[in-house]
């Protein structure tokens, strides 16, 4: 019951991200329970990733509002436990992300709610064309923003989690590829930039079918080069941001 009440306060915004839970003495007084019951309630919330408990003289519980990154970490653990390969994740994104891009193009408010952020990222990508890791990270932000701007909250959460999970794999790959001097040459990076320019033009025109085709072709050309066909890597969850435990 205690965990349920506190969980409700977190998800409803009554307790904001980074807030400290009330003092132990105040919670004990509010709920009229003993310390063992309160400690168990906090363990439940901690296991769900909604709080992190600090021990010691300056101890206390800090609130963590649920985020896409937490869902991505949990998805990653599940996929890793089932030995799902990166190729499987990339196939899912190639089929689903174009739908999100089409939804972006279909939005009546796309010129104010979609294109400004995408164009800002596009300029940053161009500015970092010669920094392989930064180029990869910003390119992934561009694709994550296509999903985040689609307007469907369920797709933003579920597909956004998969995008976040893939981005971790690809940025890690970019670091290794740069160190091994096998990162795709500048001409290939320029081709990716031109593909993004075409995506922006199609969204601007509201061409749903056209942008879905363009994104699909672009992903076919870009996602696969991050995969080593000999290793057939398995999906890894990476690190959870801010040290908060996952669900």
């Amino acid at each position: 019951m205690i965990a349920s009440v506190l969980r409700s306060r977190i998800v409803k915004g009554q307790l904001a991200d980074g807030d400290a839970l009330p003092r132990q003495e105040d919670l004990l007084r509010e709920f009229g329970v003993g310390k063992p019951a309160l400690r168990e309630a906090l363990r439940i919330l901690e296991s769900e990733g909604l709080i992190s408990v600090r021990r010691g003289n300056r101890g206390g519980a800090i609130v963590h509002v649920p985020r896409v990154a937490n869902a991505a970490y949990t998805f990653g653990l599940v996929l890793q436990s089932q030995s799902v390969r990166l190729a499987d994740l990339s196939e899912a994104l190639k089929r689903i992300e174009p739908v999100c891009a089409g939804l972006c193009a279909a939005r009546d408010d796309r010129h104010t709610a979609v294109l400004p952020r995408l164009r800002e990222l596009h300029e940053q990508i161009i500015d970092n064309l010669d920094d392989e890791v930064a180029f990869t990270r910003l390119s992934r932000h561009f694709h994550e923003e296509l999903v985040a701007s689609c307007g469907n909250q369920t797709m933003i959460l579920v597909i956004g989690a998969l995008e976040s999970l893939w981005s971790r794999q690809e940025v890690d790959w970019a670091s290794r590829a740069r160190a091994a001097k096998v990162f795709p040459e500048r001409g290939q990076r320029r081709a990716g930039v031109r593909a993004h320019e075409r995506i922006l033009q199609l969204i601007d025109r509201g061409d749903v079918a056209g942008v879905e085709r363009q994104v699909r072709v672009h992903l076919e050309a870009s996602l696969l080069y991050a995969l080593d066909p000999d290793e057939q890597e398995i999906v890894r969850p990476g690190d959870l941001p801010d040290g908060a435990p996952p669900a």
Side-chain angles (χ1 to χ4, degrees):
M1 181 272 289
I2 297 168
S4 177
V5 171
L6 294 175
R7 183 187 303 113
S8 177
R9 291 175 186 174
I10 293 171
V11 299
K12 289 180 179 179
Q14 295 169 352
L15 289 168
D17 192 64
D19 281 355
L21 283 184
R23 295 183 311 156
Q24 175 179 275
E25 293 78 6
D26 296 332
L27 292 173
L28 292 173
R29 188 180 308 113
E30 177 183 355
F31 293 108
V33 298
K35 291 182 179 180
L38 180 60
R39 282 197 298 267
E40 183 60 27
L42 296 183
R43 276 197 292 268
I44 292 170
L45 295 175
E46 191 170 26
S47 72
E48 294 174 346
L50 295 176
I51 65 170
S52 58
V53 178
R54 297 180 301 191
R55 273 76 182 181
N57 294 333
R58 297 185 178 182
I62 303 300
V63 171
H64 300 288
V65 173
R67 292 172 296 169
V68 168
N70 298 68
Y73 183 86
T74 303
F75 280 169
L77 287 176
V78 174
L79 293 173
Q80 185 181 40
S81 71
Q82 297 180 3
S83 299
V84 174
R85 301 190 184 281
L86 283 177
D88 192 89
L89 176 57
S90 73
E91 185 64 26
L93 290 178
K94 284 187 291 184
R95 292 181 179 274
I96 302 173
E97 188 183 315
V99 176
C100 294
L103 290 173
C104 288
R107 290 185 61 162
D108 293 332
D109 62 350
R110 62 186 178 277
H111 294 104
T112 56
V114 178
L115 286 168
R117 177 57 179 156
L118 286 175
R119 284 172 173 154
E120 178 186 350
L121 285 168
H122 182 62
E123 291 303 318
Q124 292 177 21
I125 291 169
I126 294 173
D127 291 341
N128 287 272
L129 193 63
D130 293 317
D131 183 332
E132 294 93 338
V133 175
F135 173 84
T136 302
R137 183 179 295 109
L138 290 166
S139 295
R140 289 309 309 152
H141 287 340
F142 183 93
H143 287 270
E144 290 171 359
E145 190 64 30
L146 278 177
V147 174
S149 301
C150 76
N152 183 288
Q153 293 304 311
T154 302
M155 296 179 77
I156 290 170
L157 172 60
V158 177
I159 303 170
L162 295 179
E163 289 280 357
S164 178
L165 183 59
W166 176 268
S167 292
R168 294 177 189 178
Q169 323 294 318
E170 190 156 321
V171 172
D172 181 55
W173 163 83
S175 297
R176 299 197 312 268
R178 180 172 66 179
K181 302 187 183 303
V182 294
F183 198 92
E185 61 185 19
R186 199 173 194 274
Q188 289 177 272
R189 280 172 265 156
R190 283 294 308 168
V193 168
R194 289 192 296 272
H196 287 179
E197 290 171 350
R198 180 64 174 158
I199 290 168
L200 290 171
Q201 293 168 0
L202 293 167
I203 292 176
D204 184 47
R205 296 209 306 253
D207 188 342
V208 175
V211 77
E212 287 184 1
R213 276 194 308 273
Q214 177 62 39
V215 171
R216 191 171 295 110
V217 170
H218 174 49
L219 291 178
E220 286 283 356
S222 61
L223 276 176
L224 290 181
Y225 70 64
L227 299 175
D228 185 334
D230 297 323
E231 293 185 9
Q232 285 294 289
E233 290 187 59
I234 291 173
V235 173
R236 291 168 287 104
D239 297 321
L240 188 64
D242 300 333

